[in-house]
Amino acid sequence: MVNLPAVLGVATALFGIGLYGLLQRRSLVAMLIALELMLAAISINVIALTTLTGQDPSLGQVVVLIFVGVAAAEVAIALSLFVAIHRAAHDIDVEHLSELKG
Amino acid sequence: MSVADGVFLLSSAVALAGALLAVGLRNIFHNILGFALAMLGVAGIFASLGSDFLAAVFVLVYVGAVAIAMVYAVMLSHPLDQPHRPRSVPKIAAAVLVAAGVAGALWNVLRQVAWPVAVPGADAGAAVTGRRFLTDYVLAFELISVLLVVAMMGAVMVARRSRPGRGTW
């Protein structure tokens, strides 16, 4: 049951759900959540493609740990930006943040 | 059906259900709870693939740190009291269409590739990963540390309330 197509299918579904959320939600925090879901799907792919195809599994773990570190840094910066944006514009709805729109 | 199969099925169901809750519900706080549930499911998928260390890392970082940070950001930017505006149906339809199209195209590619047959692989446990991280990949390890410190300082700088008479920063 834990075979490669099943794991890749779950990861693809998770990626699709994340992409839908990124396109459809208007709150910046909700868009960040959707982005993290897509990153998790990619991590699942890396782990599945290194452990289930006979490659070096610890290499995949190292790569995914780097992903997690970059994602944590990204979340820290993004959330502080949202707080700063809310302080300046009193809103984190992307459709209202259109001051620079031509 | 082995234990790993059961863990994989359960974790996949939890991950997908949590992801649907995370993008589908209206309340942003419920979205964060769904996100935490989805990450628990992803950690379970890692555990079923033999990556026990990564499963622990995902629970610690995503459920323990990222979800809590998101709750704090929501509390600081209280979007909960803003009135819900109706969603426009064409935009939802377009988002569903694009997401389904991309996922379908990805699945079509993944399905056609002849992946190498699995052989009983090397140990993917925490001991091997830790040893590789501090020998072969020590540069990546150190770079993550530097990146996290810089990101943390940058987050403090960006979110800091500027004081009057002291310029923007």
Side-chain angles (χ1 to χ4, degrees):
Chain A
M1 193 62 220
V2 190
N3 51 15
L4 195 54
V7 183
L8 292 181
V10 170
T12 309
L14 201 58
F15 189 88
I17 293 171
L19 185 58
Y20 164 74
L22 188 67
L23 291 173
Q24 184 255 325
R25 297 306 298 265
R26 287 180 299 224
S27 161
L28 281 172
V29 177
M31 291 172 75
L32 181 69
I33 290 175
L35 201 68
E36 292 300 316
L37 288 176
M38 293 164 76
L39 269 173
I42 293 165
S43 303
I44 293 175
N45 267 5
V46 171
I47 289 297
L49 290 175
T50 48
T51 53
L52 294 181
T53 57
Q55 309 292 319
D56 180 5
S58 61
L59 179 59
Q61 305 230 353
V62 168
V63 169
V64 171
L65 278 172
I66 294 170
F67 282 2
V68 171
V70 172
E74 170 213 327
V75 167
I77 293 290
L79 289 177
S80 64
L81 272 177
F82 298 165
V83 170
I85 290 171
H86 182 266
R87 194 174 293 144
H90 300 286
D91 204 352
I92 56 167
D93 185 325
V94 282
E95 291 182 359
H96 295 162
L97 301 173
S98 55
E99 270 173 44
L100 294 180
K101 194 171 172 184
Chain B
M1 200 168 85
S2 70
V3 177
D5 295 342
V7 170
F8 174 72
L9 282 179
L10 185 68
S11 306
S12 304
V14 167
L16 293 180
L20 285 175
L21 294 178
V23 301
L25 294 179
R26 305 296 303 261
N27 188 324
I28 187 70
F29 189 69
H30 297 162
N31 293 146
I32 297 172
L33 293 180
F35 169 72
L37 191 67
M39 287 303 151
L40 271 179
V42 173
I45 293 175
F46 285 150
S48 73
L49 288 169
S51 305
D52 46 359
F53 178 59
L54 266 187
V57 164
F58 257 65
V59 172
L60 281 175
V61 171
Y62 281 105
V63 184
V66 169
I68 302 297
M70 283 173 173
V71 170
Y72 267 95
V74 166
M75 281 160 57
L76 286 174
S77 64
H78 39 94
L80 294 174
D81 52 6
Q82 289 169 5
H84 285 303
R85 289 188 294 122
R87 293 176 172 178
S88 83
V89 176
K91 277 187 182 172
I92 293 180
V96 168
L97 213 63
V98 172
V102 170
L106 279 177
W107 176 242
N108 207 26
V109 172
L110 291 172
R111 200 166 47 89
Q112 287 168 357
V113 177
W115 301 105
V117 184
V119 291
D123 184 14
V128 181
T129 308
R131 205 170 295 120
R132 297 285 301 265
F133 233 128
L134 289 178
T135 53
D136 298 345
Y137 303 108
V138 68
L139 181 63
F141 181 76
E142 295 296 338
L143 277 180
I144 293 176
S145 323
V146 174
L147 176 71
L148 284 174
V149 170
V150 171
M152 200 166 64
M153 288 161 59
V156 172
M157 287 299 291
V158 170
R160 191 166 72 152
R161 209 178 285 274
S162 59
R163 299 194 188 96
R166 294 187 55 183
T168 314
W169 301 110

